[in-house]
Amino acid sequence: MTKWEKAFSEDPDNPAVSGHDSSGPPPPRTLEELKACLDRIHIRQCLLRPYEEDEDYPLVESRELLPSFEVDLFEYKHLPGFSMVALERPLSSFEEVFQYDVLQTSHAASEPHAQTDLSQCEEANRHAGNIETLLTRLPRRYHAEFNQDFGSLDPSELHDYDRLLPFLLRLERAHVLAHNDLREFCLAGVYASLPSDLDSELKRFGLKIGKFRTGDNALYECNRAFVYQFLMELHGFSIVSERRTSAALFARRLHRMGERFLVRVLGQSDRTITTLCTPKRARRYPRVEKIALVQVSEDQKEIINRLGEQGFFVDAAKRVIILRVIYGQHRFNPNNIQEDRALSVQGQEIIHPLTGRVIADLNIIKEPSSMILQLNDIVRGEHRGAITYARNEIIRDPDTHEKRLKFLSSWLSKHQRRIIGYSEDFYSKLVQVLDSYLLMPDNFEAFAQLHALHQEVWARFSYIQQTRRIKMLEDLSRRRYKGQRIGYLEMLSQIAEILNDLKFEIVKYFDRPVVSALEIGKRVLNNKYLRRTYVQKRDDELTRNGREIKKLYGRVVTLLDEIAAIRKSRRQRTSPDLGEIR
């Protein structure tokens, strides 16, 4: 196992800060340089160190890094947690939009080599003032240790940040990094309060995407949870604690202000270092990254062999790696059946614990084959692990039918978006595994005693099945089928077939897929070229294919009318849409 003290010790580009040693690397001046430096320090101190010191360290499961993110039910108070903001400019304390305790930073001397008694006295006073500021916020039981380590040092100097971090982790609020007069990053403030203004942000965002209307309390109460979840997920979280909520919304505010910034937070619940920073290119939202210690699934044999040969494991016996995940945001689109998709994985990087080298071509958390193997283990009761059911219950090891059904319900909800988008080959394997369990006669007696749970799983599966059909309709409306461009005859033929199947599948009714089907169908029927070229002409003016297209057009009209009639009758009922539950 890699010792935390040795982490990144063989990195030739290690950006460890050494402000006083001219032979060492220069202090970071840009956010990119600072981020590279902080990555290594935070990984070493906040992930590798507690992993080594705690035999029962709770590794992050790969599914926890996949959107949509699950609610954290446990807080590991003995593990480190912090929040931090860095600005690529000097601070102007009165003009800033957040409160913090100022640390006095070094000033550029008019004559760099001039050291007068007065300047030395000023430096000593500055050091003493910074020490006093930190001591007033640090719990008293750490004062003696802090004085011993920093009695003669200036805590604002970034080259001592690695030594200071264990004390910063004891503070309840954020610390602040910014430029000094030399345009080098330094610790410029502590005990910072990052304003979230959650109420205004939530209502403004809900109005913007059309989920709220001014003065409409019923609409607000109906859609508030969806808007809250979507807004938080855009910034890398589920609905979480105040520390992470403040970090996310403060990053949103800084991005809107046009700042060059980096906000970083480590929660004691998620054990994950989350970074929100200025994107490399102009984007609507901040860039989101997460770093965590993850265990590679034992089923990924080829990946394990490659990582083992190149020394990428932190702990080879437990297959533990340092994984960085990069995410991309999606704008809200009410016409998309996957309208709740705010975030998706754009990249995965495995970081070498000694050299810092990165492998970016391996799929650790999104491997479809491993998903099928995991599902197969769940239905057979052989899965080892835990899952959050209904946001308030931890289920471990599905060794009973009740646990298996709860596992399946949570698993289908968690992976709903990916299942909708994956290939037919993957989906057919998934159906085969589920049918082998849910339709097995030997299980019917047990399912009869767990009727509500059994129906819940079927409802989630039915929603996925219907939504996959809507996804196919979306592709067909653009005349795309299985990645190929198709003509109007093939388009209408496939749409008619899907709508006919959907008409019978909505015995298990969900409003969102039905509304999407009607909207897509309406868009197809209003196609100007289709109407002008085929529908509005007499049969004797059309070719054989043209008459077939016109006939299929009428068939689609009939099917949409039938589905609309079904929806009209169903709207009288009030049944929960499990597809909306996340």
Side-chain angles (χ1 to χ4, degrees):
M1 184 174 74
T2 303
K3 298 294 184 181
W4 72 268
E5 298 97 330
K6 299 293 184 181
F8 308 115
S9 58
E10 300 175 14
D11 185 357
D13 300 318
N14 192 336
V17 181
S18 180
H20 296 296
D21 183 0
S22 60
S23 65
R29 295 174 179 268
T30 67
L31 281 177
E32 291 74 22
E33 293 173 354
L34 178 68
K35 180 177 177 297
C37 171
L38 295 179
D39 280 352
R40 287 157 176 79
I41 295 175
H42 289 154
I43 290 171
R44 184 171 63 246
Q45 290 273 15
C46 303
L47 298 182
L48 297 180
R49 183 173 184 175
Y51 176 75
E52 181 179 331
E53 295 176 348
D54 184 354
E55 294 182 359
D56 299 319
Y57 182 87
L59 293 168
V60 174
E61 295 189 34
S62 58
R63 63 178 174 80
E64 295 180 63
L65 298 175
L66 283 171
S68 58
F69 301 110
E70 299 174 7
V71 176
D72 303 311
L73 296 185
F74 292 112
E75 183 176 10
Y76 303 92
K77 294 185 177 181
H78 63 287
L79 295 181
F82 73 90
S83 53
M84 182 210 78
V85 59
L87 298 172
E88 197 180 66
R89 59 171 176 79
L91 294 182
S92 177
S93 56
F94 185 76
E95 303 295 333
E96 302 302 336
V97 296
F98 62 102
Q99 290 296 311
Y100 63 98
D101 291 347
V102 178
L103 295 184
Q104 298 298 325
T105 59
S106 59
H107 298 281
S110 56
E111 297 181 18
H113 299 290
Q115 288 291 331
T116 66
D117 291 342
L118 180 60
S119 66
Q120 291 178 0
C121 181
E122 290 176 347
E123 283 292 296
N125 290 336
R126 183 171 63 83
H127 292 183
N130 288 342
I131 294 290
E132 183 63 26
T133 298
L134 274 163
L135 286 175
T136 60
R137 298 304 186 184
L138 194 65
R140 184 171 295 276
R141 62 182 177 275
Y142 302 111
H143 283 197
E145 183 181 356
F146 179 81
N147 282 322
Q148 181 179 351
D149 287 355
F150 283 89
S152 59
L153 299 175
D154 182 6
S156 71
E157 297 292 341
L158 199 58
H159 64 80
D160 289 320
Y161 179 79
D162 198 0
R163 293 177 59 185
L164 183 63
L165 184 58
F167 298 103
L168 296 177
L169 296 176
R170 307 298 181 184
L171 301 181
E172 295 181 359
R173 298 186 182 179
H175 54 279
V176 186
L177 303 180
H179 276 168
N180 57 19
D181 290 351
L182 301 174
R183 303 193 67 80
E184 298 171 351
F185 276 103
C186 64
L187 183 64
V190 294
Y191 216 69
S193 178
L194 308 183
S196 64
D197 196 15
L198 176 60
D199 181 68
S200 297
E201 289 284 358
L202 186 66
K203 290 174 180 174
R204 188 185 303 119
F205 184 70
L207 289 168
K208 182 179 180 181
I209 65 175
K211 289 292 185 179
F212 297 160
R213 283 194 298 267
T214 303
D216 193 334
N217 292 332
L219 187 65
Y220 173 78
E221 292 165 7
C222 177
N223 290 331
R224 177 185 174 277
F226 173 86
V227 174
Y228 194 177
Q229 176 73 23
F230 194 95
L231 177 63
M232 290 303 300
E233 194 165 302
L234 277 174
H235 300 87
F237 300 105
S238 62
I239 299 174
V240 290
S241 64
E242 181 63 27
R243 171 185 278 166
R244 286 173 286 167
T245 300
S246 296
L249 296 185
F250 188 61
R252 177 180 177 87
R253 182 173 182 176
L254 292 174
H255 184 66
R256 197 161 52 224
M257 293 167 60
E259 292 277 10
R260 288 268 299 162
F261 71 93
L262 184 150
V263 173
R264 177 164 284 184
V265 60
L266 169 65
Q268 291 173 300
S269 300
D270 63 1
R271 298 96 63 210
T272 301
I273 299 171
T274 302
T275 303
L276 300 104
C277 59
T278 303
K280 296 179 180 178
R281 300 178 182 176
R283 291 288 186 270
R284 185 175 294 269
Y285 304 108
R287 176 182 172 91
V288 178
E289 295 182 6
K290 289 180 179 287
I291 301 176
L293 296 184
V294 175
Q295 185 178 53
V296 180
S297 171
E298 60 183 353
D299 300 317
Q300 298 176 299
K301 303 295 185 183
E302 294 183 5
I303 292 177
I304 291 172
N305 290 337
R306 179 177 172 185
L307 295 177
E309 290 171 358
Q310 300 185 33
F312 272 83
F313 285 118
V314 172
D315 186 345
K318 296 182 178 180
R319 308 181 305 281
V320 177
I321 58 171
I322 305 167
L323 180 65
R324 178 193 286 121
V325 183
I326 302 100
Y327 300 90
Q329 291 98 334
H330 303 277
R331 294 180 62 182
F332 176 78
N333 181 3
N335 297 321
N336 190 335
I337 187 60
Q338 293 179 282
E339 67 166 11
D340 60 343
R341 184 178 68 159
L343 207 66
S344 61
V345 174
Q346 278 194 343
Q348 303 174 48
E349 297 177 352
I350 303 167
I351 303 172
H352 197 288
L354 293 177
T355 66
R357 187 166 66 90
V358 165
I359 290 181
D361 62 343
L362 294 180
N363 190 344
I364 301 297
I365 64 175
K366 292 178 61 181
E367 179 59 45
S369 61
S370 66
M371 287 176 61
I372 295 297
L373 290 172
Q374 184 185 59
L375 181 63
N376 194 53
D377 287 344
I378 291 171
V379 301
R380 293 167 61 181
E382 298 175 358
H383 180 74
R384 293 295 171 263
I387 201 165
T388 305
Y389 173 72
R391 298 190 178 187
N392 59 14
E393 183 180 357
I394 297 292
I395 306 297
R396 301 184 184 278
D397 301 342
D399 50 4
T400 66
H401 285 295
E402 180 181 7
K403 288 184 177 181
R404 288 179 209 176
L405 291 172
K406 289 182 176 181
F407 249 86
L408 285 176
S409 178
S410 297
W411 192 91
L412 289 171
S413 177
K414 171 72 178 179
H415 297 291
Q416 174 179 295
R417 301 178 197 165
R418 282 167 286 282
I419 296 171
I420 291 169
Y422 279 166
S423 67
E424 281 296 322
D425 180 59
F426 169 86
Y427 184 69
S428 64
K429 292 177 181 177
L430 180 139
V431 171
Q432 184 179 359
V433 173
L434 287 176
D435 285 351
S436 70
Y437 177 65
L438 297 175
L439 298 178
M440 182 181 291
D442 293 348
N443 296 334
F444 287 171
E445 183 177 349
F447 291 158
Q449 298 175 8
L450 301 166
H451 178 74
L453 269 177
H454 188 242
Q455 289 303 305
E456 181 182 309
V457 173
W458 270 120
R460 293 202 184 279
F461 181 50
S462 297
Y463 182 82
I464 291 171
Q465 186 178 36
Q466 293 177 29
T467 307
R468 277 183 65 88
R469 295 198 183 280
I470 304 305
K471 182 69 168 60
M472 293 174 65
L473 284 177
E474 289 177 348
D475 293 340
L476 288 168
S477 70
R478 297 188 292 268
R479 292 170 57 202
R480 306 287 301 180
Y481 182 63
K482 295 183 177 180
Q484 302 294 321
R485 184 76 170 172
I486 59 174
Y488 285 101
L489 180 62
E490 178 72 6
M491 177 190 77
L492 290 173
S493 175
Q494 292 293 336
I495 288 176
E497 182 179 341
I498 290 173
L499 290 175
N500 188 63
D501 291 341
L502 186 63
K503 182 179 67 173
F504 294 101
E505 288 175 0
I506 58 177
V507 170
K508 181 71 74 173
Y509 182 82
F510 303 98
D511 196 56
R512 189 193 295 180
V514 172
V515 170
S516 296
L518 294 173
E519 288 292 332
I520 294 168
K522 181 180 178 181
R523 192 161 65 242
V524 170
L525 296 181
N526 289 336
N527 183 297
K528 292 181 179 180
Y529 177 83
L530 186 62
R531 292 172 61 85
R532 182 178 66 250
T533 308
Y534 301 105
V535 179
Q536 295 174 351
K537 288 188 176 181
R538 300 192 309 273
D539 287 356
D540 58 1
E541 296 179 321
L542 297 171
T543 63
R544 181 178 177 182
N545 274 356
R547 289 191 294 273
E548 187 65 26
I549 289 173
K550 186 176 181 179
K551 179 180 177 182
L552 284 169
Y553 184 94
R555 173 66 174 153
V556 171
V557 171
T558 302
L559 287 167
L560 288 173
D561 287 344
E562 292 174 354
I563 291 173
I566 293 172
R567 180 173 186 254
K568 184 178 180 180
S569 66
R570 289 283 187 159
R571 282 177 66 84
Q572 306 300 324
R573 308 177 186 179
T574 55
S575 59
D577 187 341
L578 286 175
E580 303 287 350
I581 300 175
R582 302 177 61 190

